[in-house]
């Protein structure tokens, strides 16, 4: 996950596929994952090929590509209902394909967070978990057919997760921390957002980065904390 941030902080840098590229994706043999708590196996989707045609890019560094679906990095066991990391639980390849992604609702992501905290999660695992939780919160409240008003409890939880991610992530490898400014803005920390933006040399930014910078700054001035589409 960290490599997303090393040279350009937002995935706008991903090259979009041309219209002549085949729009279909090909599903490969399923990946088998095994619950580390009860041993229950399940099969998840893998892709033999896919593309980013028609992808949406968002200010919280999320990309949604219809032809490149992503298996949830946290899976919920269908038997014991415990949560576990997909990357740590791979158990071979199935003989047939699967369309299962194991996507979690925002409520399930919160359950997973509470479970992992009780298990003393730390380091990169906790940073990654906070990053995915930020996306899930924005999926639930803003990236849907009907924008919802966050509850006070959920927004307080979101702010806690954002600050935990900002504190835990290694920003020393990032030249232009636009995502850091953006997340402070989404957490309602407008003064902190302004400080980060001020630290970024605007003239050295690429044109698309300037567009992101200006989008963050305008919404910060308007005291708008909602994620936005790039």
């Amino acid at each position: 996950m960290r490599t997303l941030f090393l040279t350009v902080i937002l995935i706008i840098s991903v090259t979009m596929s041309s219209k002549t590229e085949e729009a279909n994706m090909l599903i490969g043999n399923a990946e088998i994952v095994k619950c580390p708590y009860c041993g229950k196996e399940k099969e998840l989707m893998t892709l033999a090929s896919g593309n980013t045609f028609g992808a949406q890019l968002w200010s919280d560094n999320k990309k949604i590509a219809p032809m490149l679906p992503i298996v949830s990095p946290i899976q919920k066991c269908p038997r014991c209902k415990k949560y576990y990391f997909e990357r740590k639980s791979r158990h071979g390849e199935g003989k047939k394909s699967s369309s299962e992604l194991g996507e979690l609702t925002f409520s399930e992501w919160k359950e997973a967070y509470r479970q992992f905290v009780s298990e003393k999660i730390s380091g990169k695992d906790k940073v990654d978990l906070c990053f995915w939780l930020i996306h899930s919160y924005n999926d639930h409240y803003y990236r849907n057919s009907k924008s919802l008003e966050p509850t006070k409890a959920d927004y307080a939880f979101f702010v806690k997760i954002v600050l935990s991610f900002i504190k835990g992530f290694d920003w020393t490898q990032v030249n232009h921390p636009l995502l850091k400014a953006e997340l402070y803005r989404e957490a309602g920390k407008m003064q902190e957002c302004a400080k980060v933006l001020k630290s970024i040399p605007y003239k050295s930014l690429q044109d698309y980065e300037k567009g992101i910078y200006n989008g963050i700054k305008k919404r910060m001035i308007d005291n708008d904390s909602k994620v936005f589409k790039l």
Side-chain angles (χ1 to χ4, degrees), residues 60-75:
D60 63 351
N61 206 14
K62 181 161 186 175
K63 177 180 69 175
I64 302 174
M67 295 300 157
L68 201 65
I70 298 174
V71 167
S72 175
I74 299 294
Q75 293 291 318

Side-chain angles (χ1 to χ4, degrees), residues 106 109-110 113 129-137 157 161:
F106 181 51
W109 273 105
K110 289 188 291 183
Y113 178 80
L129 181 62
C130 288
F131 184 67
W132 299 325
L133 270 161
I134 290 167
H135 286 179
S136 180
Y137 171 90
F157 174 74
I161 294 301

Side-chain angles (χ1 to χ4, degrees), residues 27-33 41-46 90-98:
I27 299 177
N29 287 353
E31 170 196 24
I32 299 173
V33 291
E41 293 183 352
K42 68 174 179 177
E43 296 188 344
L44 301 173
M45 175 189 282
T46 65
R90 295 169 185 167
H91 199 62
E93 180 181 294
K95 295 181 179 180
K96 298 180 180 180
S97 63
S98 171

Side-chain angles (χ1 to χ4, degrees), residues 8 176 201-213:
V8 180
H176 306 311
Y202 184 79
K203 291 182 178 180
S204 68
L205 298 178
Q206 299 294 323
D207 287 344
Y208 66 83
E209 292 177 305
K210 288 179 180 178
I212 297 167
Y213 181 104

Side-chain angles (χ1 to χ4, degrees), residues 59-60 106 110 113 129-143 150-166 179 182-190 224-227:
S59 59
D60 63 351
F106 181 51
K110 289 188 291 183
Y113 178 80
L129 181 62
C130 288
F131 184 67
W132 299 325
L133 270 161
I134 290 167
H135 286 179
S136 180
Y137 171 90
N138 284 328
D139 289 343
H140 179 71
Y141 281 109
Y142 303 121
R143 279 189 286 261
T151 65
K152 290 183 179 180
D154 278 350
Y155 187 64
F157 174 74
F158 173 73
V159 171
K160 174 184 175 182
I161 294 301
V162 166
L163 297 180
S164 180
F165 173 79
I166 290 175
L179 181 64
E182 168 61 12
L183 293 181
Y184 271 135
R185 183 190 68 81
E186 291 183 23
K189 306 294 184 181
M190 302 307 176
D224 178 358
S225 61
K226 293 180 181 179
V227 68

Side-chain angles (χ1 to χ4, degrees), residues 12-224:
I12 188 68
S13 60
V14 175
T15 302
M16 301 297 290
S17 302
S18 70
K19 290 185 178 181
T20 58
E21 182 179 9
E22 184 180 0
N24 294 324
M25 63 181 183
L26 296 177
I27 299 177
N29 287 353
E31 170 196 24
I32 299 173
V33 291
K34 184 175 182 180
C35 175
Y37 299 95
C38 73
K40 174 68 174 178
E41 293 183 352
K42 68 174 179 177
E43 296 188 344
L44 301 173
M45 175 189 282
T46 65
L47 292 180
S49 67
N51 61 70
T52 58
F53 180 69
Q56 295 179 354
L57 305 174
W58 290 78
S59 59
D60 63 351
N61 206 14
K62 181 161 186 175
K63 177 180 69 175
I64 302 174
M67 295 300 157
L68 201 65
I70 298 174
V71 167
S72 175
I74 299 294
Q75 293 291 318
K76 183 177 184 177
C77 178
R79 182 161 66 192
C80 72
K81 310 304 180 185
K82 286 275 199 175
Y83 297 91
Y84 55 90
F85 282 76
E86 173 272 333
R87 69 170 183 259
K88 297 182 179 182
S89 306
R90 295 169 185 167
H91 199 62
E93 180 181 294
K95 295 181 179 180
K96 298 180 180 180
S97 63
S98 171
S99 61
E100 178 63 48
L101 299 175
E103 295 174 300
L104 306 181
T105 65
F106 181 51
S107 293
E108 289 174 326
W109 273 105
K110 289 188 291 183
E111 285 181 355
Y113 178 80
R114 289 191 288 268
Q115 175 193 308
F116 288 128
V117 167
S118 72
E119 296 171 353
K120 310 299 183 185
I121 190 173
S122 62
K124 184 179 182 298
D125 286 346
K126 186 173 183 180
V127 172
D128 288 350
L129 181 62
C130 288
F131 184 67
W132 299 325
L133 270 161
I134 290 167
H135 286 179
S136 180
Y137 171 90
N138 284 328
D139 289 343
H140 179 71
Y141 281 109
Y142 303 121
R143 279 189 286 261
N144 53 57
S145 58
K146 195 172 185 179
S147 184
L148 305 173
E149 186 67 27
T151 65
K152 290 183 179 180
D154 278 350
Y155 187 64
F157 174 74
F158 173 73
V159 171
K160 174 184 175 182
I161 294 301
V162 166
L163 297 180
S164 180
F165 173 79
I166 290 175
K167 181 180 179 181
F169 184 76
D170 181 9
W171 298 97
T172 60
Q173 302 180 71
V174 179
N175 291 327
H176 306 311
L178 291 169
L179 181 64
K180 188 176 186 180
E182 168 61 12
L183 293 181
Y184 271 135
R185 183 190 68 81
E186 291 183 23
K189 306 294 184 181
M190 302 307 176
Q191 290 185 350
E192 288 84 349
C193 175
K195 288 179 182 178
V196 176
L197 288 179
K198 189 176 180 180
S199 72
I200 298 173
Y202 184 79
K203 291 182 178 180
S204 68
L205 298 178
Q206 299 294 323
D207 287 344
Y208 66 83
E209 292 177 305
K210 288 179 180 178
I212 297 167
Y213 181 104
N214 293 336
I216 296 171
K217 185 175 182 179
K218 180 182 182 302
R219 289 167 175 81
M220 177 197 71
I221 292 171
D222 292 341
N223 203 36
D224 178 358

